[in-house]
Amino acid sequence: TAWIFPALIVFGGLVTFLRDMYEKREVKAADGNEGIESLGVGKIGGGMLLITWLVVLVVTISLRNTTEYDGSNKALHWFEAFYRTGSIIFGGGQVVLPLIIEEVVQYKESCTPLDDGGEKCLPVPDYEFYGSFEHPDVESWMTETEFFSGLAIAQAMPGPLFNLSAYLGALIAAKAGWNSIVGVLCCWFGLFGPGVILIYGVLPFWGEFRQWSLYRRALPGMNA
């Protein structure tokens, strides 16, 4: 599940926080002012950005869970998948790959009988399970081959690996019969948007936040 990453971060922070409290370790104060207090956004603006990020996340997840993937709802599903991934990911571009492929390629369990009477079950893409990408029960947005081809292109190009989202968005939209630009906008802004919003939203509070003893006790575990 995609939520395992933030859950492990919280768990790691909780472990080192409780360890320091149990051993009564002293917490070193943060080194002076880092020299960056905001990027032109004050605390009120930063707070509004954080609220906006959270509201968009909750609303899009709720709408996706209550709507079918058809008609005009397709763009909502694309944006939600990438926005949610961009919101909970922690780490570099390679970390996001298993989360994205689980969104764009759906898997079914395929079992084959063994000589001893048992079964060997493996996950296979649903379009292989049903025998055709055009099968009405296929829920994948693209094939594994198309995903890894886009990854190879993104790796060969300059810039962050997250730019893979533009390729995926264009291909997803084209295969759904939409204008590719719509898919690019949904997926690229969906993946990059949360990080940009959080940077501008958190930075006005960062100088004070980094001095909190709770945060400084939890930080080693969060970075582990």
Side-chain angles (χ1 to χ4, degrees):
T1 173
W3 297 99
I4 193 171
F5 289 100
L8 287 174
I9 293 171
V10 173
F11 176 76
L14 184 61
V15 168
T16 54
F17 172 78
L18 294 176
R19 179 204 63 190
D20 286 2
M21 293 296 292
Y22 178 76
E23 298 179 358
K24 297 181 179 179
R25 295 188 180 185
E26 292 292 331
V27 180
K28 294 182 179 180
D31 297 333
N33 195 325
E34 292 180 319
I36 301 177
E37 298 181 358
S38 71
L39 293 173
V41 178
K43 289 185 177 180
I44 295 178
M48 294 299 295
L49 284 174
L50 294 176
I51 293 173
T52 299
W53 162 75
L54 183 60
V55 169
V56 173
L57 179 63
V58 172
V59 169
T60 52
I61 291 176
S62 299
L63 289 176
R64 175 173 179 172
N65 290 334
T66 56
T67 58
E68 297 292 334
Y69 180 70
D70 57 15
S72 59
N73 293 330
K74 290 183 177 181
L76 168 66
H77 284 237
W78 304 334
F79 179 78
E80 186 276 337
F82 283 80
Y83 188 87
R84 171 167 40 83
T85 300
S87 294
I88 64 177
I89 197 62
F90 186 87
Q94 281 72 21
V95 180
V96 81
L97 295 178
L99 302 183
I100 293 181
I101 195 170
E102 284 189 358
E103 297 291 342
V104 301
V105 180
Q106 302 301 312
Y107 293 86
K108 294 285 187 181
E109 193 173 73
S110 178
C111 299
T112 55
L114 300 176
D115 294 338
D116 59 5
E119 285 186 328
K120 180 181 180 180
C121 297
L122 295 172
V124 298
D126 58 358
Y127 52 85
E128 292 184 3
F129 182 86
Y130 291 115
S132 171
F133 194 87
E134 306 303 325
H135 192 281
D137 291 331
V138 169
E139 298 178 347
S140 293
W141 295 344
M142 63 174 55
T143 67
E144 279 187 333
T145 300
E146 291 168 336
F147 177 87
F148 289 116
S149 295
L151 175 59
I153 295 173
Q155 292 275 36
M157 299 290 286
L161 187 56
F162 278 22
N163 282 329
L164 170 65
S165 59
Y167 164 87
L168 299 179
L171 186 57
I172 290 169
K175 293 176 76 71
W178 286 53
N179 188 312
S180 295
I181 298 299
V182 176
V184 171
L185 294 176
C186 288
C187 298
W188 193 87
F189 280 105
L191 192 60
F192 276 93
V196 174
I197 293 173
L198 290 173
I199 288 173
Y200 278 85
V202 169
L203 199 54
F205 305 97
W206 182 245
E208 298 177 8
F209 180 75
R210 66 195 294 265
Q211 300 291 343
W212 290 0
S213 61
L214 186 153
Y215 165 73
R216 299 197 65 78
R217 291 181 190 276
L219 184 60
M222 296 167 64
N223 282 333

